[in-house]
């Protein structure tokens, strides 16, 4: 059993996390109704979700009731954001799920949020993102228009210069193609 997505809220070496995740399936008692397992170092709080598990690994000093509540919120968020709890669907929604998980737990501590508040925050972020995309598209369109205007201006200058050079020679006697301006003193 491999992790589909993973989020850690405390610093821990990758090898330690992999070791904990690898040992988890061996610890699940067959046919048990319990949703937590303890080792000498950590507590695994888990919930089956179709063919997968949602898992929280905590230290043994953590509040198990709060851990279970957090786990249930993770499961509700996952079910709410994914049409099905299969690997493909979870991978497809991984970025949004991890953003939601970050709203639930911050710096290793549970935030006092519910599913509706998480939805609201994610929708606001999505709305702000859309506004930024619109602004970026408008800036890009303005830049393209400015480039077209400058290109047209340069083309007109080239034509004018070409017309002056071919039209009647150098009227002012200069070599540059520009005619001299008379001075009034």
């Amino acid at each position: 059993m491999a992790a589909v997505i993973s989020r850690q809220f405390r610093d821990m070496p990758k090898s330690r996390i992999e070791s904990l995740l690898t040992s988890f399936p061996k610890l699940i008692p067959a046919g048990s109704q319990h949703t937590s397992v303890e080792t000498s170092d950590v507590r695994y709080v888990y919930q089956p979700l179709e063919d997968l598990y949602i898992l929280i690994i905590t230290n043994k000093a953590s509040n198990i009731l709060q851990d279970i509540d957090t786990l249930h919120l993770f499961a509700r968020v996952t079910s709410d954001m994914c049409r099905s709890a299969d690997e493909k669907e979870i991978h497809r929604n991984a970025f949004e799920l991890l953003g939601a998980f970050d709203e639930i737990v911050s710096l290793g501590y549970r935030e006092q949020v519910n599913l509706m508040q998480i939805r609201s925050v994610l929708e606001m972020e999505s709305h702000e993102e859309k506004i930024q995309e619109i602004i970026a598209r408008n800036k890009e369109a303005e830049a393209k228009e400015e480039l077209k205007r400058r290109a047209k201006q340069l083309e007109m200058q080239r034509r004018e210069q070409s017309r002056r050079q071919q039209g009647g020679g150098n009227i002012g006697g200069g070599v540059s193609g520009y005619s001299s301006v008379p001075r009034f003193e």
Side-chain angles (χ1 to χ4, degrees):
M1 177 184 319
V4 178
I5 61 171
S6 173
R7 187 67 160 158
Q8 79 184 61
F9 299 100
R10 297 287 188 164
D11 281 338
M12 191 180 293
K14 184 178 179 179
S15 59
R16 174 76 173 134
I17 293 169
E18 289 171 346
S19 170
L20 290 169
L21 289 173
T22 302
S23 63
F24 170 68
K26 301 170 197 155
L27 298 171
I28 301 173
S32 174
Q33 296 295 319
H34 296 287
T35 58
S36 68
V37 175
E38 291 185 7
T39 66
S40 59
D41 299 325
V42 297
R43 178 183 298 132
Y44 296 90
V45 184
Y46 61 93
Q47 179 176 334
L49 192 64
E50 295 181 23
D51 294 336
L52 304 173
Y53 285 97
I54 294 185
L55 172 67
I56 296 177
I57 303 173
T58 65
N59 62 32
K60 290 173 60 173
S62 70
N63 180 337
I64 190 163
L65 295 176
Q66 187 178 36
D67 294 342
I68 291 170
D69 186 49
T70 302
L71 177 75
H72 289 305
L73 186 53
F74 279 143
R76 285 194 307 270
V77 164
T78 303
S79 296
D80 187 60
M81 296 178 82
C82 298
R83 285 182 269 151
S84 65
D86 63 0
E87 285 188 41
K88 195 175 194 179
E89 184 70 10
I90 289 173
H91 276 290
R92 195 175 68 76
N93 291 292
F95 185 77
E96 291 81 8
L97 282 169
L98 292 173
F101 293 170
D102 286 346
E103 293 298 323
I104 297 170
V105 177
S106 177
L107 300 173
Y109 296 100
R110 166 79 193 280
E111 295 292 327
Q112 293 304 312
V113 294
N114 60 39
L115 183 60
M116 294 304 289
Q117 291 169 319
I118 293 168
R119 278 185 194 154
S120 176
V121 167
L122 294 176
E123 286 173 10
M124 282 191 297
E125 289 175 359
S126 177
H127 180 70
E128 289 173 8
E129 190 176 314
K130 287 177 185 173
I131 290 172
Q132 291 302 319
E133 287 173 0
I134 290 169
I135 290 170
R137 278 196 304 265
N138 287 343
K139 284 183 180 180
E140 191 175 309
E142 288 173 9
K144 285 180 182 178
E145 287 300 317
E146 179 66 17
L147 282 173
K148 286 180 184 177
R149 189 186 64 75
R150 286 186 181 178
K152 196 174 198 178
Q153 186 179 21
L154 283 172
E155 183 60 31
M156 288 174 58
Q157 287 175 350
R158 285 189 197 119
R159 286 182 186 164
E160 183 67 28
Q161 189 174 12
S162 176
R163 213 178 308 129
R164 285 184 182 153
Q165 287 176 349
Q166 295 173 356
N170 294 334
I171 297 171
V175 183
S176 67
Y178 294 100
S179 58
S180 61
V181 176
R183 286 188 163 177
F184 298 105
E185 293 180 21

